[in-house]
């Protein structure tokens, strides 16, 4: 006679299986995150992507699931906790992240207004106006918001608009992460619009992200917002399509589960049936990790405009591994020697940045380099200067190959065969009428040499390579300030494209010159 199985036993068995499944998926997710962290460390890129907060959230979820595995699987609390697990959301975020390029960080708050002052009339901490971005990608230019909300849940929210938002637990900008019932992390806004209670949570978040993105500029532009909704299909339900249209009306793009670019969670993370964005399930992790890293040279123009600071870095003995510290060296020179030993500026930054691109510099930049090298340069630095510009007794009349071969003899590092010498010196005449009006205000705050370099690159729409961070940030500040004030006609203004070299290089100088206090 068959033994009857009670409902409690069935439910207990189902809960235990669910815990085991979630634990396996959580271990897989953590394993991939740790592999990515190792990948970054091996390439000395660990500081380019912020993983700590997201990894800690997943680790916290793992500990919660491990406690559940020891609890009574039939208990109501166990069943409720399983159903509200954050893991599906974290898995969705990581899967979406693996389709991105230029990954920067996870779970980042962006503010569109300063927090209100503390008031004795209000209890507790003042709430801040901010939006929570799940993934910051494309070197800051893209914000991704992920939601694992289902169509039924979204329709329910629409029917109960106003009530559901108040009933859900949401995240304060000062608090810890809580995944809402609609499968998102959301930052609470201090002052809601009057009609906020008439909108579903996704629309509130879309509006918050629009406000926050308008308060931020990355290389003169506002970040783009993208929603990833793996459990939503487009084109089957009018009410759902209307919500998606309203999200897009805020300027965001939307990817649904039926979009081949969007992630789909048809099976647990880490199984052979798992379907990722762009078919990533068949892609080796190392290839995915490579695409996640920021490529700082991807947007470079075919011709590069070389600032005087980079000209000096290219000829400096400090950049060629040929310097032994001397007692009379300035502390800044000693620091540069230490940096060079660790980073090798030419091999890791400047030569990769220049690649096989055409190189130009303005007459004033070249003249300034000649003045400095002529004043305090060593003999090898003078030789490199002539080879770099293809002038003087060592450089004039030589082919690119001959210049590279001669330059190679002056360095302890092999010169890349694709490096295009000489750098062409151009007499830059900048027609200010061809630039946006704000260029006049920019020019008013620049020295003659910096005007010749940065405005020339701006006018020709060429990438300018420089280590002059102060000037680059000044230009950005002036342009963005004018745009915030609404003084620039014709819409958004894109200023000069400037790539900042990670570190600067000086010339070592002569001992007598340093004692006399003469520095570059």
């Amino acid at each position: 006679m068959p033994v009857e199985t009670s409902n409690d036993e069935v439910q207990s068995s189902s809960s235990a299986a669910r815990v085991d499944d979630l634990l396996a998926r959580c271990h897989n997710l953590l394993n991939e995150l740790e592999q990515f962290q190792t990948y970054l460390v091996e390439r000395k890129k660990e500081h380019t992507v912020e993983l700590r907060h997201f990894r800690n959230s997943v680790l916290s979820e793992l500990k919660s699931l491990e406690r559940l595995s020891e609890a009574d699987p039939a208990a109501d609390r166990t069943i409720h906790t399983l159903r509200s697990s954050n893991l599906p959301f974290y898995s969705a975020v990581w899967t979406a992240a693996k389709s991105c390029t230029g990954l920067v960080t996870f779970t980042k708050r962006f503010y569109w207004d300063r927090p209100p002052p503390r008031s004795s009339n209000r209890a507790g901490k003042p709430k801040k106006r901010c939006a929570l971005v799940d993934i910051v990608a494309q070197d800051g230019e893209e914000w991704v918001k992920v939601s694992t909300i289902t169509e039924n849940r979204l329709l329910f929210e629409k029917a109960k608009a106003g009530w559901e938002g108040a009933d859900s637990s949401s995240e304060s900008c000062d608090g810890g992460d809580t995944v809402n019932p609609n499968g998102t992390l959301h930052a609470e806004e201090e002052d809601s619009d009057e009609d906020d209670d008439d909108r579903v949570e996704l629309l509130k978040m879309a509006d918050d992200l629009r406000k926050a993105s308008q308060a931020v500029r990355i290389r003169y532009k506002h970040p783009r917002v993208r929603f990833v909704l793996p459990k939503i299909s487009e084109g089957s339900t009018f009410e759902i399509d209307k919500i998606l249209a309203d999200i897009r009306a805020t300027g965001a793009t939307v990817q649904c589960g039926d979009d081949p670019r969007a992630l789909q969670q048809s099976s647990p993370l880490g199984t052979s049936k798992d379907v990722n964005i762009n078919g990533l399930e068949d892609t080796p992790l190392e290839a995915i990790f490579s695409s996640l890293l920021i490529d700082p040279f991807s947007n470079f123009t075919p011709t590069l405009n070389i600032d005087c600071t980079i000209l000096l870095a290219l000829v400096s003995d400090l950049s060629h591994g040929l310097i032994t510290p001397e007692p009379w060296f300035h502390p800044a020179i000693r620091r540069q020697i230490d940096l060079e030993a660790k980073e090798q500026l030419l091999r890791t930054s400047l030569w990769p940045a220049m690649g096989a691109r055409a190189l130009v510099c303005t007459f004033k930049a070249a003249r300034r380099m000649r003045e400095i090298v002529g004043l305090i340069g060593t003999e090898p630095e003078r030789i490199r200067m002539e080879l770099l510009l293809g002038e003087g007794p060592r450089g004039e009349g030589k082919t690119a190959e001959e210049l590279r071969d001669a330059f190679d003899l002056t360095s302890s590092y092999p010169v890349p065969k694709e490096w295009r010498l000489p750098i062409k010196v151009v007499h830059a005449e900048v027609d200010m009428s061809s630039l946006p009006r704000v260029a006049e205000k920019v020019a008013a705050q620049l020295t003659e040499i910096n005007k010749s370099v940065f405005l020339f690159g701006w006018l020709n729409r060429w990438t300018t390579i420089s280590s002059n961070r102060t000037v680059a940030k000044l230009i950005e500040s002036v342009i963005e300030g004018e745009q915030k004030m609404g003084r620039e006609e014709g819409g958004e203004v894109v200023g000069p494209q400037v790539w900042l070299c990670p570190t600067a290089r000086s010339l070592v100088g002569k001992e007598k010159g340093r004692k006399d206090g003469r520095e570059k």
Side-chain angles (χ1 to χ4, degrees):
M1 187 174 179
V3 179
E4 293 186 2
T5 304
S6 68
N7 288 337
D8 285 348
E9 290 175 326
V10 172
Q11 195 168 51
S12 175
S13 176
S14 176
S15 295
R18 174 68 172 162
V19 170
D20 290 342
D21 174 59
L22 288 174
L23 275 171
R25 294 169 61 187
C26 199
H27 278 294
N28 286 339
L29 175 54
L30 273 173
N31 182 53
E32 288 197 6
L33 291 175
E34 287 167 0
Q35 286 185 63
F36 183 44
Q37 182 66 40
T38 300
Y39 180 89
L40 294 172
V41 171
E42 289 174 348
R43 287 153 183 80
K44 299 181 180 180
K45 300 284 187 179
E46 62 269 28
H47 301 301
T48 64
V49 182
E50 174 53 56
L51 280 174
R52 182 180 54 84
H53 184 89
F54 182 65
R55 183 185 177 278
N56 286 346
S57 296
V58 178
L59 190 59
S60 177
E61 185 66 17
L62 176 63
K63 293 177 181 178
S64 175
L65 291 171
E66 288 174 340
R67 288 193 296 270
L68 276 183
S69 68
E70 300 174 356
D72 179 5
D76 289 342
R77 177 170 182 151
T78 302
I79 296 169
H80 172 74
T81 305
L82 281 173
R83 289 174 178 170
S84 59
S85 171
N86 296 339
L87 181 62
F89 171 74
Y90 294 143
S91 297
V93 169
W94 175 237
T95 307
K98 289 192 292 184
S99 75
C100 296
T101 58
L103 187 62
V104 177
T105 190
F106 295 88
T107 320
K108 173 77 172 179
R109 295 173 182 82
F110 291 92
Y111 299 86
W112 66 82
D113 200 0
R114 291 182 178 179
R118 294 183 181 274
S119 171
S120 58
N121 297 326
R122 297 182 60 182
K125 292 182 179 180
K127 297 172 184 176
K128 300 176 183 179
R129 300 178 180 183
C130 69
L132 190 63
V133 177
D134 296 319
I135 304 165
V136 179
Q138 292 191 12
D139 200 10
E141 294 181 0
E142 182 182 53
W143 292 357
V144 180
K145 190 68 183 176
V146 178
S147 175
T148 54
I149 191 170
T150 64
E151 293 185 2
N152 286 339
R153 177 78 192 189
L154 189 54
L155 291 172
F156 176 77
E157 279 198 12
K158 184 173 177 61
K160 296 290 185 180
W163 171 81
E164 184 63 36
D167 187 59
S168 300
S169 61
S170 59
E171 182 203 11
S172 165
C173 287
D174 293 317
D177 294 344
T178 303
V179 179
N180 292 338
N182 59 15
T184 59
L185 285 175
H186 183 46
E188 185 178 3
E189 182 182 347
E190 180 219 1
D191 295 319
S192 298
D193 295 333
E194 291 183 0
D195 62 346
D196 260 5
D197 285 346
D198 297 328
R199 297 183 299 166
V200 298
E201 193 72 12
L202 281 179
L203 290 179
K204 294 178 187 177
M205 285 189 291
D207 194 46
D208 286 354
L209 288 165
R210 177 190 61 81
K211 294 174 185 175
S213 67
Q214 291 300 305
V216 174
R217 290 184 186 273
I218 304 294
R219 288 172 288 280
Y220 310 105
K221 298 178 182 178
H222 298 299
R224 302 180 300 277
V225 177
R226 174 164 59 101
F227 276 78
V228 176
L229 311 174
K231 296 186 178 181
I232 301 296
S233 296
E234 191 167 8
S236 59
T237 307
F238 173 79
E239 290 82 0
I240 297 291
D241 289 351
K242 179 64 168 63
I243 293 171
L244 299 180
D246 288 344
I247 294 175
R248 290 187 175 109
T250 67
T253 58
V254 180
Q255 290 178 216
C256 297
D258 51 1
D259 187 325
R261 296 170 298 166
L263 75 156
Q264 302 174 22
Q265 291 186 326
S266 56
S267 60
L269 177 72
T271 69
S272 60
K273 295 181 180 179
D274 196 30
V275 181
N276 298 331
I277 303 177
N278 293 324
L280 291 179
E281 75 282 1
D282 297 324
T283 307
L285 276 179
E286 186 161 327
I288 295 173
F289 294 162
S290 176
S291 69
L292 293 182
L293 297 183
I294 295 170
D295 180 0
F297 317 132
S298 61
N299 295 323
F300 277 21
T301 52
T303 298
L304 301 180
N305 176 37
I306 311 300
D307 181 28
C308 180
T309 57
I310 302 301
L311 295 176
L312 289 169
L314 290 171
V315 303
S316 173
D317 286 340
L318 292 169
S319 301
H320 294 271
L322 298 171
I323 293 295
T324 301
E326 298 287 348
W328 56 270
F329 279 0
H330 190 280
I333 298 297
R334 292 180 175 274
R335 286 194 296 271
Q336 290 182 36
I337 293 173
D338 291 340
L339 278 173
E340 179 62 26
K342 297 175 184 176
E343 299 176 0
Q344 298 182 358
L345 181 65
L346 289 176
R347 299 183 70 178
T348 61
S349 293
L350 289 184
W351 278 333
M354 290 182 285
R357 297 175 177 89
L359 308 175
V360 303
C361 72
T362 66
F363 173 79
K364 290 182 180 179
R367 182 177 64 187
R368 180 60 176 150
M369 177 182 66
R370 295 187 192 104
E371 291 171 352
I372 294 172
V373 174
L375 184 65
I376 63 172
T378 64
E379 183 62 17
E381 288 170 341
R382 294 169 189 267
I383 293 172
R384 292 190 201 102
M385 178 186 69
E386 293 182 357
L387 297 172
L388 192 69
L389 301 180
E391 62 185 23
R394 289 110 165 172
E396 190 173 2
K398 284 186 168 62
T399 66
E401 183 177 3
E402 289 170 338
L403 291 172
R404 285 193 300 269
D405 289 344
F407 201 98
D408 188 83
L409 296 175
T410 72
S411 178
S412 61
Y413 308 134
V415 173
K417 297 298 183 183
E418 67 272 15
W419 192 28
R420 293 176 65 174
L421 293 181
I423 296 177
K424 182 180 179 182
V425 179
V426 296
H427 289 266
E429 297 295 333
V430 178
D431 180 6
M432 296 299 291
S433 65
S434 298
L435 289 171
R437 289 194 310 171
V438 70
E440 294 285 354
K441 292 201 170 186
V442 171
Q445 300 192 46
L446 300 180
T447 62
E448 286 301 315
I449 183 173
N450 288 329
K451 278 193 287 188
S452 83
V453 171
F454 292 94
L455 297 186
F456 173 70
W458 192 1
L459 179 66
N460 288 281
R461 299 182 180 180
W462 289 338
T463 302
T464 296
I465 297 183
S466 174
S467 62
N468 196 333
R469 185 173 299 274
T470 300
V471 170
K473 295 305 178 185
L474 171 65
I475 294 171
E476 279 191 13
S477 176
V478 172
I479 294 174
E480 291 178 5
E482 290 297 299
Q483 292 187 130
K484 285 179 182 178
M485 297 297 292
R487 293 172 179 161
E488 187 62 38
E489 297 178 358
E492 295 292 299
V493 172
V494 177
Q497 182 185 358
V498 180
W499 179 75
L500 287 170
C501 179
T503 57
R505 286 289 183 272
S506 308
L507 301 189
V508 173
K510 302 173 183 177
E511 183 174 4
K512 180 177 181 297
R514 291 289 167 176
K515 286 181 176 179
D516 291 343
R518 294 187 310 192
E519 293 186 36
K520 176 174 74 70

